[in-house]
Amino acid sequence: SQQGEEDPQALSIQEGENATMNCSYKTSINNLQWYRQNSGRGLVHLILIRSNEREKHSGRLRVTLDTSKKSSSLLITASRAADTASYFCAEGGNNRLAFGKGNQVVVIP
Amino acid sequence: DTEVTQTPKHLVMGMTNKKSLKCEQHMGHRAMYWYKQKAKKPPELMFVYSYEKLSINESVPSRFSPECPNSSLLNLHLHALQPEDSALYLCASSQETSQLAKNIQYFGAGTRLSVL
């Protein structure tokens, strides 16, 4: 999971499998966002979940939010080689985003 | 058009050089951001401009100088950088900086900076 000072988590899966990654955050949030970054490129916004929501879906993505545990998870179903990327959660609020350490996902064709 | 354009894509500079990074968006966004990202690390916020005014400076050294000439453009002027400043510099924009859902950020592809 993304938190603290540890190295980013790495996940290697076969194409077609599901990928689940977790994120812990520290503050009281307005929303929690997930972004994807392909190697050496800019970040792309994937999904936003508000603090009063518990689950949200977008295509093959499913995000959950547990504000009591200050944690979120991102599930990518039926993964594809193109899903190979780093995935960051970001705490939204106070005029800025605070990014977690990230999860590196490799989908093997 | 949901594109944020950054130039140049790559930049190599010496420690005595002066250079500038440029960022442009035409989405009508009123908030723009500079981030620094080291390899295998998350982006670190450097500056936030809101309605063309600097609203956040995350204690960035003065050798980095941001400028927002208008609502579509954001520059980052570089002077007397150190080798440890080598990184990917990302620009982003959002509709505004409020705590509402409008702070979804759109990122450029970044400038890969190497300081020799």
Side-chain angles (χ1 to χ4, degrees):
Chain A
S1 60
Q2 300 180 43
Q3 69 174 28
E5 298 299 319
E6 72 271 19
D7 290 336
Q9 297 294 300
L11 177 65
S12 184
I13 58 173
Q14 295 289 328
E15 199 166 32
E17 293 180 339
N18 296 342
T20 300
M21 58 206 86
N22 300 305
C23 161
S24 299
Y25 59 91
K26 298 175 183 176
T27 64
S28 296
I29 58 170
N30 174 269
N31 61 68
L32 195 291
Q33 304 182 31
W34 284 88
Y35 288 79
R36 184 189 75 230
Q37 184 177 33
N38 292 93
S39 181
R41 305 284 294 173
L43 284 76
V44 175
H45 178 261
L46 296 176
I47 194 165
L48 178 152
I49 185 165
R50 301 187 188 199
S51 59
N52 61 354
E53 297 176 310
R54 292 297 167 259
E55 187 172 312
K56 197 161 184 182
H57 297 255
S58 177
R60 294 184 296 113
L61 305 179
R62 173 177 168 257
V63 169
T64 62
L65 181 65
D66 187 333
T67 52
S68 67
K69 296 180 180 178
K70 287 190 165 59
S71 67
S72 175
S73 68
L74 172 67
L75 167 68
I76 304 173
T77 60
S79 63
R80 305 168 182 169
D83 294 328
T84 294
S86 294
Y87 293 82
F88 295 93
C89 70
E91 302 170 38
N94 294 325
N95 303 325
R96 70 185 71 195
L97 292 178
F99 286 90
K101 295 298 180 182
N103 289 269
Q104 296 173 357
V105 176
V106 175
V107 181
I108 303 166
Chain B
D1 180 8
T2 58
E3 191 171 296
V4 175
T5 303
Q6 287 188 246
T7 56
K9 294 190 188 314
H10 301 275
L11 179 62
V12 179
M13 60 186 291
M15 289 189 284
T16 59
N17 291 158
K18 286 185 181 180
K19 297 286 184 184
S20 296
L21 309 185
K22 297 186 184 299
C23 175
E24 188 169 4
Q25 57 88 14
H26 295 289
M27 294 178 277
H29 289 173
R30 303 316 299 268
M32 296 186 78
Y33 310 78
W34 280 115
Y35 290 87
K36 173 183 177 180
Q37 186 180 27
K38 292 284 213 178
K40 297 188 184 298
K41 297 293 186 182
E44 298 176 9
L45 183 65
M46 299 174 72
F47 302 104
V48 180
Y49 273 83
S50 179
Y51 291 86
E52 299 162 51
K53 287 185 168 41
L54 183 64
S55 61
I56 295 174
N57 176 343
E58 291 284 44
S59 302
V60 179
S62 60
R63 58 186 184 269
F64 295 90
S65 175
E67 178 196 20
C68 189
N70 59 57
S71 60
S72 299
L73 294 175
L74 186 66
N75 298 322
L76 185 63
H77 303 297
L78 314 173
H79 173 55
L81 294 193
Q82 303 297 309
E84 59 265 28
D85 296 322
S86 298
L88 181 68
Y89 288 84
L90 294 164
C91 173
S93 70
S94 66
Q95 285 188 345
E96 54 184 67
T97 60
S98 74
Q99 295 188 13
L100 303 177
K102 291 181 180 178
N103 68 349
I104 291 172
Q105 294 186 15
Y106 295 80
F107 283 79
T111 294
R112 176 75 58 190
L113 175 66
S114 296
V115 182
L116 304 178

